[in-house]
Amino acid sequence: MSEWTIGVIGGSGLYAVDGLENVQEIAVESPFGEPSAPLVMGEMAGHRFVFLPRHGKGHRLTPTEVNARANIDALKRAGCTDIVAISAIGSLQEELPPGQFVIVDQFIDRTRQRASTFFTSGMVAHVSMADPVCPRLSDMVAGASEEAGANVAKGGTYLAMEGPQFSSRAESHLYRSWGADVIGMTAMPEAKLAREAELPYALVGMVTDYDCWREHEAPVEVEAVIAQMNANATKARAMLQALAASLPDKRDASPIDTCLDYALITSPEARDPALLAKLDAVMGRIHKKG
Ligand SMILES: CSC[C@H]1O[C@H](OP(=O)(O)O)[C@H](O)[C@@H]1O
Ligand SMILES: Nc1ncnc2[nH]cnc12
């Protein structure tokens, strides 16, 4: 039996996956609020997959409204061992054209209106975000993306903006000057929360547009993003099938599986029992240890 359960967070244009067997839709309750949608659970090539459309059924939720805490908590409750997130991204670099897949490995977080930690007053933790994605999972999704026929850039810095409006040209130039390669509105705080929940996370970004920094080109509009995403979505689905086919049954431990061992700072007697109860999934491994 496979030791992997891959949570898949589908972004704009990817609202379902292909090839799942024994599919069940389950509404998972989270103490952090409502996840974006019920979880779609099934199997591919003998491995469990759990799919969640980030913006909800019919793309109801703005990037700010996506409850990333509830989503990550629900995926953890559903037994996910790892998370593959998929996102539409704007390109800030000439050599990353629409259609290109970028396996993101760094972030600049410019979001400002989102709950970005599970660990609030009564249970404080400081996880490392120096290396914010899982290298093993990122390598696997890079290989699977190539197998699906995509042009793949391994590594890239993702600027997370609040949205929902796209950037001004001045902002787009500023982010380029900071060394950002791609831009989106959702992978933060998602990646931070995955790390707090001890879930290895990889982000497959699919370039849909050149944002608005190219002075002589029309600025990004949703219509163009969706048209390009529809073209990319077939490859994204094939990438997931290639990933399933490439996974061994055995899952070696990742250092991310136990990263809270170095992150919790509140002394046991100062911990808030009510918050600890809410963290029964996020800190499930530590609760079990007693
Ligand atoms: C539809 S354009 C902007 C929208 O697309 C991206 O969503 P996701 O990351 O969920 O694929 C971007 O972050 C914005 O939310
Ligand atoms: N240009 C862009 N800016 C922010 N998010 C995006 N998602 C896709 N394209 C984008």
Side-chain angles (χ1 to χ4, degrees):
M1 186 61 197
S2 169
E3 295 173 357
W4 301 82
T5 298
I6 306 286
V8 177
I9 303 179
S12 299
L14 193 79
Y15 307 110
V17 289
D18 286 340
L20 281 185
E21 293 169 346
N22 304 323
V23 180
Q24 276 184 295
E25 193 175 284
I26 297 181
V28 174
E29 285 186 15
S30 164
F32 293 96
E34 218 182 314
S36 297
L39 303 183
V40 178
M41 303 180 168
E43 286 164 32
M44 254 195 284
H47 308 285
R48 282 180 299 272
F49 278 74
V50 180
F51 179 74
L52 175 62
R54 187 184 280 121
H55 298 274
K57 285 187 177 169
H59 204 123
R60 279 181 316 113
L61 301 168
T62 68
T64 305
E65 288 166 340
V66 170
N67 186 339
R69 289 201 304 183
N71 288 350
I72 296 294
D73 181 67
L75 291 169
K76 183 88 183 177
R77 279 175 202 283
C80 291
T81 55
D82 299 80
I83 294 188
V84 174
I86 300 174
S87 271
I89 48 176
S91 170
L92 300 174
Q93 301 297 340
E94 196 69 53
E95 65 279 10
L96 300 174
Q100 173 85 42
F101 280 35
V102 180
I103 313 303
V104 170
D105 67 350
Q106 281 296 332
F107 296 95
I108 298 172
D109 187 359
R110 292 259 302 171
T111 63
R112 357 173 245 266
Q113 296 179 41
R114 307 174 188 190
S116 62
T117 179
F118 289 111
F119 293 97
T120 49
S121 147
M123 185 67 249
V124 180
H126 302 282
V127 295
S128 169
M129 288 300 290
D131 300 304
V133 300
C134 170
R136 172 175 69 182
L137 194 61
S138 296
D139 278 352
M140 286 175 171
V141 294
S145 300
E146 275 165 356
E147 199 136 311
N151 265 339
V152 181
K154 293 176 191 159
T157 298
Y158 174 115
L159 186 300
M161 59 179 292
E162 186 64 46
Q165 304 84 0
F166 291 114
S167 310
S168 67
R169 290 192 202 274
E171 287 164 336
S172 203
H173 287 299
L174 177 68
Y175 303 151
R176 275 167 52 76
S177 78
W178 288 350
D181 299 304
V182 297
I183 184 163
M185 304 179 191
T186 60
M188 281 285 161
E190 191 174 87
K192 288 178 173 168
L193 294 164
R195 180 58 58 92
E196 287 189 344
E198 299 188 324
L199 287 169
Y201 178 95
L203 177 61
V204 181
M206 294 185 282
V207 175
T208 51
D209 56 85
Y210 272 115
D211 201 42
C212 62
W213 56 273
R214 283 166 128 208
E215 296 293 341
H216 301 295
E217 193 175 279
V220 55
E221 300 280 2
V222 165
E223 202 184 353
V225 171
I226 296 301
Q228 184 60 51
M229 224 15 231
N230 288 339
N232 293 352
T234 313
K235 274 194 197 131
R237 294 197 181 93
M239 178 276 289
L240 290 172
Q241 291 187 306
L243 173 67
S246 71
L247 283 174
D249 279 354
K250 174 125 185 64
R251 179 185 179 280
D252 291 330
S254 154
I256 299 167
D257 299 342
T258 49
C259 67
L260 287 179
D261 285 350
Y262 310 100
L264 303 176
I265 189 164
T266 307
S267 56
E269 64 284 0
R271 294 180 183 177
D272 172 10
L275 179 55
L276 288 182
K278 281 174 77 172
L279 294 169
D280 61 329
V282 168
M283 283 178 61
R285 181 182 63 82
I286 290 158
H287 281 303
K288 269 186 228 133
K289 255 188 353 194

